[in-house]
Amino acid sequence: MTQRTTFEARRTGAAWATRASNATLVRVRSPSALSLAALALFQAAGCETETHHGPRDAHGEDAGLDAEPVVDALEITTNDGSFDAGPDAYAMPAPWFVDVTHAWGIEYVREGAEGYETITDRIGGGVCPFDLDGVAPLDLVFPMRKTETSHTRLYVGRRVGSELEYADETDTRGLGGAGDVHACLAFDADGDGDEDLALAGRGTVQLFENEGGRLSEITARLGLSLDPRDVYAGMAAGDVDHDGDVDLFVAGFLRFDVSRFEPGERCGTIPCSSSLYELEGIRDLVLVREADGSYRDATAAIAPDLLRDEMTLVPAILRMTGTGPVDLFVGNDLGARYRDRVLRWSEAAGEYVDVAIELGLATNARGYGIDTMGWSQGDLDDDGALDFVTSSWPGDTTAAHFCATLTDGDFCEERGRTVGLSTGVGSFRWGVGVGDLDLDGDLDVIEAAGHLYAQDDLGRTADELQTPNLFENVGGALERRVYPADDALATRATLRGLSLVDLDDDGRLDVVMAPSRGEPRVLHNVHAREGHWLRVALHGQAAGARLVISWAGGRVIRAHPIGEGFMGNFDPRVHVGLPADVTHVSVDVDWPSGEISRRTDVAVDGELSVASP
């Protein structure tokens, strides 16, 4: 077995060299005196070494002054995967997740519709837990581009004794008409109490209405006339025009114009058709729902700042800081060109205006734009304010914006490096999830990983297949875990979408990941329960709601955005992990309307249902 591990040289430097008797290849990227000193010790031990200088773009050329500097790092390749990762990563004594993909009946292989040579093939797809029929367990949607052997799949779950079984019911449930898509969103579009489904992809945004457990396409109600070259990515749902119903925010990603390339043309080592640098962005869509169930493109009217052409992968709708109406989060790829933005409603202007710079959410700690791939939220430091995690590509640490309410206004400080997320910098990260994976009362972080470029493009410079990153929250530090061989996370793959969802309703968050090619991963959480849990099912217009769960001596906050991770959504119920000594809690739901629902003396280890006033 060959394993490549990357760590920042500035942390422990030469100390790594004393542990690496099994190292076969050591690289230093953007070397400093400290990392070169460590490299010299590896050379003295007889290891093969390489040195690389400076930030590089997708073509291997200098990325320029606007690019994020490549992290000063050691990249160590071993034959047996036994390299001691040092103090920033900790081995797990037992498996945290078990792979149940095939055991539960999820059977498909995703392949490229264009030979896996294009960006539309390689960005892969998301995954959506979806309550189609009101019967446990939750169902699963995997949006896919159509080929002879792969297409969008809808798996309907059933409980058989103590086990779960999923069956592919795509056609019988009405989803056989899914188009050239890779993004999904499950949400109650019409307010009738069940979940409907939106899909997005190349040249299409589709809407399906749930009618008693069967989906009927109602795309015509969106009123869209889209360019077949335009590629749409993630989606989010929420009330953006403040009229009480649920609207749709669609990320415009890029215009894929095949006429720009010669057949088989390559830009450096990669196909030009897979290079973002050769393509142009497109605008996002804000689709507001009208009283008759139709939709209107209100982007120009209420969010004209979204009319600019950008490469947006991640949209979100929730109040990110403070109180009041929801914000629009715009998570853009190619951060050197298109920084992330937060649009906040301005009564004075009568529209959404960009406040990301004022809030500190526009860039990372170094002032560089983030190549935003995935996004998730939660109160990581338990201070009562939401924090935000944004995944990115190799050499760029996952960003973690810690927010607080200050005397002169809200502000979010980016601290991804200092809290420990830099130990995952060697992987290409996509879907990210913030959730209490070990039920100890604080929030952990997990990321899907897999390189954008195929192995033939990468050669020996990197691996297409990668392992997910799991960071356990230990006293506010995010410590990256090293997996035992029998943990499902130890398996390498080319993954994109990620969803946190309690599929078997045992109180522990499971993880579902979707590939850009290959098989999906359904990972059952078997971690020993350290504390308790509560699930809160919100009914009514709940998109963007906030919850405060309190008990004698403590409290946590949680939020309920619809659209999270990467091109999909999480469990439609809000999951809360609680300390071991908590037996009963109070729950306050702050609805998007501004109304408050309160429940007291709620027993833990169960599900609470709350309807909007």
Side-chain angles (χ1 to χ4, degrees):
M1 173 182 172
T2 298
Q3 177 168 306
R4 181 175 292 116
T5 311
T6 303
F7 300 100
E8 287 187 66
R10 66 167 70 74
R11 288 182 176 267
T12 53
W16 292 332
T18 64
R19 303 187 181 100
S21 59
N22 61 325
T24 56
L25 175 62
V26 180
R27 293 185 178 92
V28 174
R29 298 203 309 267
S30 190
S32 67
L34 177 61
S35 58
L36 289 175
L39 189 67
L41 292 182
F42 282 108
Q43 292 169 333
C47 300
E48 180 186 353
T49 63
E50 294 180 7
T51 304
H52 299 274
H53 296 263
R56 303 285 171 178
D57 66 10
H59 310 297
E61 301 296 331
D62 288 339
L65 295 177
D66 291 333
E68 165 76 74
V70 174
V71 173
D72 179 354
L74 297 176
E75 184 175 276
I76 300 145
T77 302
T78 65
N79 286 329
D80 59 4
S82 60
F83 177 71
D84 183 349
D88 292 317
Y90 298 80
M92 300 191 307
W96 199 317
F97 293 95
V98 173
D99 193 324
V100 294
T101 312
H102 297 293
W104 286 3
I106 309 295
E107 303 276 358
Y108 77 81
V109 177
R110 191 180 197 273
E111 62 181 19
E114 293 157 325
Y116 207 65
E117 293 286 299
T118 66
I119 188 66
T120 47
D121 272 350
R122 293 184 178 188
I123 59 172
V127 55
C128 289
F130 178 36
D131 188 4
L132 176 67
D133 53 8
V135 177
L138 291 172
D139 312 303
L140 294 171
V141 175
F142 296 91
M144 280 182 278
R145 308 191 67 199
K146 283 189 175 182
T147 72
E148 291 184 0
T149 59
S150 66
H151 54 81
T152 294
R153 303 293 181 104
L154 167 58
Y155 286 93
V156 176
R158 291 288 181 270
R159 188 176 295 279
V160 180
S162 60
E163 299 297 322
L164 301 186
E165 291 184 0
Y166 281 86
D168 183 350
E169 299 186 15
T170 309
D171 293 329
T172 58
R173 297 284 185 157
L175 202 56
D180 189 355
V181 296
H182 42 241
C184 58
L185 188 73
F187 69 111
D188 185 0
D190 50 12
D192 65 351
D194 58 24
E195 287 196 297
D196 308 297
L197 184 70
L199 300 173
R202 196 157 98 186
T204 186
V205 178
Q206 295 179 274
L207 184 62
F208 294 83
E209 186 177 50
N210 187 345
E211 297 178 329
R214 193 179 190 283
L215 297 170
S216 298
E217 186 170 1
I218 56 170
T219 300
R221 296 186 192 174
L222 295 177
L224 296 174
S225 179
L226 303 177
D227 191 310
R229 301 171 297 175
D230 287 350
V231 179
Y232 294 91
M235 295 174 285
D239 183 8
V240 300
D241 59 351
H242 319 130
D243 66 350
D245 58 18
V246 182
D247 310 306
L248 194 58
F249 179 19
V250 183
F253 184 38
L254 56 79
R255 175 157 292 175
F256 187 79
D257 187 351
V258 294
S259 67
R260 295 173 66 102
F261 316 114
E262 296 294 332
E265 182 181 357
R266 301 188 79 80
C267 296
T269 63
I270 66 172
C272 293
S273 58
S274 70
S275 173
L276 292 180
Y277 296 88
E278 304 297 327
L279 298 165
E280 298 173 352
I282 60 174
R283 75 172 180 93
D284 302 327
L285 302 172
V286 176
L287 307 177
V288 299
R289 185 177 176 90
E290 305 283 47
D292 62 359
S294 65
Y295 289 78
R296 171 174 56 90
D297 184 350
T299 314
I302 65 175
D305 201 53
L306 291 177
L307 295 176
R308 66 180 73 180
D309 292 338
E310 298 177 310
M311 290 186 175
T312 307
L313 279 174
V314 179
I317 301 174
L318 80 162
R319 181 66 180 192
M320 300 186 74
T321 64
T323 59
V326 293
D327 303 320
L328 305 180
F329 172 69
V330 184
N332 289 322
D333 200 354
L334 289 191
R337 295 183 187 176
Y338 318 109
R339 63 172 174 81
D340 290 349
R341 296 185 295 125
V342 176
L343 304 187
R344 177 157 290 176
W345 180 255
S346 168
E347 287 289 350
E351 63 187 36
Y352 285 90
V353 297
D354 189 358
V355 296
I357 292 177
E358 296 93 311
L359 292 176
L361 289 166
T363 66
N364 63 17
R366 294 180 171 187
Y368 294 99
I370 302 166
D371 299 316
T372 297
M373 314 302 295
W375 176 88
S376 189
Q377 54 73 39
D379 186 5
L380 287 165
D381 53 0
D382 289 329
D383 67 347
L386 289 179
D387 309 309
F388 307 101
V389 174
T390 308
S391 61
S392 192
W393 69 339
D396 188 0
T397 297
T398 292
H401 284 93
F402 288 79
C403 301
T405 299
L406 308 177
T407 55
D408 56 350
D410 303 330
F411 188 75
C412 304
E413 180 185 6
E414 201 284 295
R415 304 203 303 261
R417 293 177 185 272
T418 59
V419 298
L421 292 174
S422 59
T423 54
V425 75
S427 57
F428 203 125
R429 288 140 286 132
W430 300 79
V432 60
V434 174
D436 191 349
L437 297 172
D438 51 5
L439 298 182
D440 63 352
D442 57 27
L443 296 174
D444 313 297
V445 176
I446 188 168
E447 299 174 313
H451 213 287
L452 173 63
Y453 302 136
Q455 196 63 53
D456 289 345
D457 306 333
L458 294 167
R460 292 183 59 203
T461 62
D463 288 333
E464 176 190 345
L465 305 180
Q466 299 177 353
T467 57
N469 296 318
L470 173 60
F471 300 89
E472 184 178 356
N473 192 330
V474 180
L478 295 171
E479 298 178 353
R480 190 173 66 86
R481 293 308 182 216
V482 174
Y483 318 124
D486 55 348
D487 192 289
L489 293 175
T491 301
R492 299 158 66 82
T494 307
L495 298 170
R496 300 291 188 259
L498 177 146
S499 182
L500 300 183
V501 50
D502 185 4
L503 287 173
D504 59 345
D505 292 336
D506 69 348
R508 291 173 289 194
L509 283 171
D510 306 306
V511 179
V512 184
M513 290 181 279
S516 63
R517 63 172 168 178
E519 298 181 331
R521 308 282 300 283
V522 181
L523 308 185
H524 182 215
N525 189 338
V526 295
H527 193 285
R529 296 178 186 171
E530 298 185 16
H532 297 287
W533 56 274
L534 180 70
R535 277 196 313 269
V536 183
L538 301 177
H539 303 284
Q541 207 300 80
R546 286 202 189 195
L547 295 83
V548 178
I549 299 89
S550 56
W551 60 93
R555 72 168 196 166
V556 296
I557 69 162
R558 297 292 182 261
H560 181 54
I562 299 179
E564 197 168 356
F566 176 76
M567 295 200 192
N569 55 259
F570 289 3
D571 197 316
R573 307 160 299 184
V574 180
H575 179 274
V576 186
L578 297 163
D581 59 349
V582 175
T583 60
H584 290 76
V585 298
S586 295
V587 178
D588 291 280
V589 181
D590 185 353
W591 299 91
S593 64
E595 296 175 285
I596 305 291
S597 296
R598 182 172 176 81
R599 301 290 185 272
T600 59
D601 199 29
V602 178
V604 300
D605 297 334
E607 182 167 306
L608 171 70
S609 292
V610 184
S612 60

